[in-house]
Amino acid sequence: MTFLWGVSGAGHQTEGDNSGSDTWYLEHVSPTVFAEPSGRACDSYARWQEDIGLAVGMGLNAYRFSVEWARVEPVPGVFDQAELDHYEAIVDHCLAQGLAPVVTFNHFTSPHWFAALGGWLNPDAPALFARYCDQVAARFADRIAVAVTLNEPNLARLLTWLDLPPFIRDQERATLEAASHAAGVPRYRVSNVMLPEEMDAIADGMTAGHRAARAAIKAHRPDLPVGFSLAIVDDLVSGDDSSVRDRKRSEVYERWLDLAREDDFVGVQNYETILYNGDGAVPPPPGVPRNQMGSAIEPLSLAGAVRYAHAMTGRPVLVTEHGMATPDDTLRDAFLAPALEGLHRAMADGVPVLGYLHWTLLDNFEWIFGYAFHYGLHEVDRETFTRTPKPSAKTYAALVAAYRPPYGSRTAAAR
């Protein structure tokens, strides 16, 4: 496989008007933990060719996007052929433009009906997910470069380790209660707003769902690389007591890294480094530049996460997301080169890395935070949806141009 240099995005966060999805439903109940509704997002359902053109203009060779299950299967067992046509056209256009399609089958959002059945708590969930994956794979598994079944199934558990205000947990519970009441069901459950007491059971469902999906996809094309992506913080130890860091790794990553050993690769999504001593997280020193999540900006976090994922799984790594939430593009611009240099050093040390996909092409809808967080290489006007490149887009393009020759061969990509 040629080394993949690209950008990542997700349907619900960019397409707009994903009204048949569970997330859309949660955005519109009251109370809701979502700061604002997604609305038209970046209007990418209509402007997808323009977005692919931006990636081509940056000299990239890969494009990660998600298929929206809610669009493809709006009611149980009924598959919308026009929607499958839509996503198939994206695949074919990527190929025509020299971009390897990296397709995520489920990037958090699922159909409203799936959530109303209890989501991943439903014993039938793995089979339902596999049925959908089978339909998508039948259309274009023969033409895509990589299949990602699930996006960050460990995120909810990871968030329990972040210093989020307690009222957010209360709002999440109230949101799910409101959705259950509005839908007239006992448990309306989704992938990115979870109750702590249900996280293990949902993870069990997702684990089975991934395995079932992988089998369904491989049935159409056995040689297609299939895996899932994990949210991985570069967790470091300050001092000589690693107990807290080790407990976090056990709770947040262990089961998923064990599962990834069955796959063709492990997807790594990294945004930060956090230091731990024997008492807990060590806050960044005063005055240190931070991203919008409040973490210190640390370009070498990516290399640390990649090394850890490979060491624990023995699998090749695909960086399916990496970037920074900041409204100050000068910070993002300066962050890119040292981050990629750290990745280069990890590869030189023998870590097999298949590619790097930056999050993200466009400033988009960032779940409960709405449009307040800015990860994009391009600004998006919230009224006209005009895309405007930031300086970091030019910098990323230049870095890719500099790195692509040594990573253009199968040998370099897999070393």
Side-chain angles (χ1 to χ4, degrees), residues 25 29-30 112 176-185 188:
Y25 198 74
V29 298
S30 180
H112 167 66
L176 292 176
E177 289 175 356
S180 300
H181 178 74
V185 298
Y188 193 96

Side-chain angles (χ1 to χ4, degrees), residues 27-29 88 111-112 183 233 270 274 276 288 296 308 319 325 361 398:
E27 292 164 20
H28 291 85
V29 298
E88 186 174 26
H112 167 66
V233 172
N270 167 262
I274 296 180
Y276 292 92
V288 171
Y308 169 65
V319 179
L361 181 68

Side-chain angles (χ1 to χ4, degrees), residues 258-283:
D258 287 346
L259 179 62
R261 295 190 185 110
E262 304 172 8
D263 293 334
D264 299 303
F265 67 92
V266 57
V268 168
Q269 307 197 164
N270 167 262
Y271 292 92
E272 59 195 339
T273 289
I274 296 180
L275 285 173
Y276 292 92
N277 60 25
D279 297 319
V282 180

